[in-house]
Amino acid sequence: MSDGKPIVVLGVFVADTTYHAERQPKIGETILGNAFTLGPGGKGSNQAVAAGRLGADVSLITRLGEDAFAELAKTTWRDARVKPFVTPDPESYTGAAFIFVEKGSGDNAIIISPGAAGRISPEDVEANAERIRSAGIFVTQLEQPLPAATRALEIAREARVTTILNPAPATPLDDAMLALCDYVTPNESEAEALTGLPVHSPEEAEKAARVFLAKGVGAAIVTLGAAGCLYVSRERTERIPAMPAGDVVETTGAGDAFNAGFATALARGEDPVAAVRFGCAVAGISVTRAGAASSMPRLEEVEALLRG
């Protein structure tokens, strides 16, 4: 793949504190864990880092405190060639996340305290409006406040920039915001929460996807874990299988890997379904490694998996 159009991501950085144990403790209980790691996280940051590792021209709009976790963020972005556009916030703290990883399954449960990133505002977005307008692809999620995400989507849509909303964590959204999105990329639980429909099979996922289309979204991509993805637009419905690359270590960051891969392939001119397949390959590699940002693969690894 050659270099493509610029990608701009609006999102949060948090420092991931990851605890591995046999199970989660009950309230009032203390248990011993098996391992601990500290690393970079936050959906927006993870997606930007993953796109950077894939060779994309990617920028990240966010807000940080002035502390040790902020330095971790800057080092992470520098290593992945992400261009940061940061509003410094000395009155708050750089966000942090508690991540529990269950031994054996690799499944996770997460608590996020966004700190400064929870104060990302429409004014922060306006300060970076020209960068959004000059992008080929704009990506955001729902970890920062909705007014900031909405304003950024409005700016991108007005400039005819392709817009991707990863609606995570699931939050009630009005139809006007969804109508600003060329693509939405919920997982099964997010699709359920946002449409009110059960999503336990590809058939149910298609029904949920069509609810998004009825609200003005261009295309919905429901990620189905080991079952792959379902792409639904007004013209086309495709099921794309998962692309396993080895044993699952943990699933933290898999959705971010997918979204970054999808955005990167779109930026390079790929057909949307081919871009979904590329995103599945990125996610397939990411789950074979521990961590979030640290699990994101390089372009050559993804291309090797796609070649089979």
Side-chain angles (χ1 to χ4, degrees):
M1 284 181 164
S2 60
D3 291 340
K5 298 176 182 178
I7 299 170
V8 172
V9 180
L10 170 69
V12 315
F13 171 89
V14 297
D16 284 345
T17 64
T18 303
Y19 300 79
H20 298 251
E22 299 286 344
R23 60 175 177 82
Q24 292 195 68
K26 300 173 185 177
I27 296 297
E29 179 187 27
T30 299
I31 65 172
L32 289 175
N34 302 310
F36 170 82
T37 58
L38 170 66
K43 285 190 168 297
S45 179
N46 290 344
Q47 291 169 11
V49 167
R53 288 192 174 186
L54 294 168
D57 176 359
V58 60
S59 302
L60 175 66
I61 300 169
T62 193
R63 181 182 278 247
L64 298 175
E66 296 183 347
D67 49 34
F69 284 169
E71 295 308 310
L72 172 63
K74 294 170 186 177
T75 299
T76 300
W77 299 333
R78 184 169 56 249
D79 291 346
R81 298 184 179 180
V82 174
K83 302 169 187 174
F85 291 84
V86 175
T87 301
D89 191 343
E91 295 180 359
S92 187
Y93 58 89
T94 301
F98 159 83
I99 301 173
F100 163 76
V101 179
E102 185 178 67
K103 186 178 179 181
S105 70
D107 289 339
N108 64 76
I110 302 172
I111 300 172
I112 297 172
S113 295
R119 289 150 58 107
I120 295 172
S121 67
E123 291 73 24
D124 296 340
V125 171
E126 292 288 355
N128 291 282
E130 285 308 311
R131 181 151 298 275
I132 295 171
R133 293 187 183 105
S134 67
I137 308 290
F138 173 75
V139 183
T140 193
Q141 327 74 31
L142 300 176
E143 288 184 337
Q144 72 283 314
L146 277 180
T150 301
R151 182 60 191 132
L153 287 165
E154 289 171 347
I155 292 168
R157 174 51 63 91
E158 290 162 3
R160 299 186 178 181
V161 175
T162 298
T163 54
I164 301 171
L165 173 64
N166 175 214
T171 302
L173 303 174
D174 60 35
D175 293 359
M177 183 179 184
L178 288 169
L180 298 170
C181 303
D182 291 303
Y183 301 97
V184 294
T185 59
N187 64 19
E188 294 159 289
S189 63
E190 292 152 3
E192 281 192 1
L194 291 167
T195 66
L197 298 177
V199 181
H200 304 297
S201 68
E203 293 75 22
E204 290 179 341
E206 182 175 350
K207 292 178 182 178
R210 296 200 179 279
V211 172
F212 287 111
L213 268 56
K215 294 177 181 292
V217 170
I221 302 152
V222 184
T223 58
L224 304 169
C229 294
L230 185 73
Y231 173 90
V232 181
S233 70
R234 289 166 183 80
E235 301 80 25
R236 189 175 182 184
T237 299
E238 297 276 353
R239 184 176 172 187
I240 299 92
M243 299 195 68
D247 294 336
V248 174
V249 174
E250 65 175 84
T251 58
T252 307
D256 299 330
F258 170 80
N259 279 276
F262 176 64
T264 298
L266 282 183
R268 289 168 172 162
E270 291 289 321
D271 166 88
V273 172
V276 171
R277 186 168 182 266
F278 187 83
C280 286
V282 178
I285 296 170
S286 76
V287 299
T288 66
R289 302 167 178 172
S294 59
S295 72
M296 303 304 176
R298 302 287 180 182
L299 177 59
E300 55 269 22
E301 297 175 279
V302 181
E303 291 177 333
L305 179 59
L306 287 167
R307 287 194 298 267

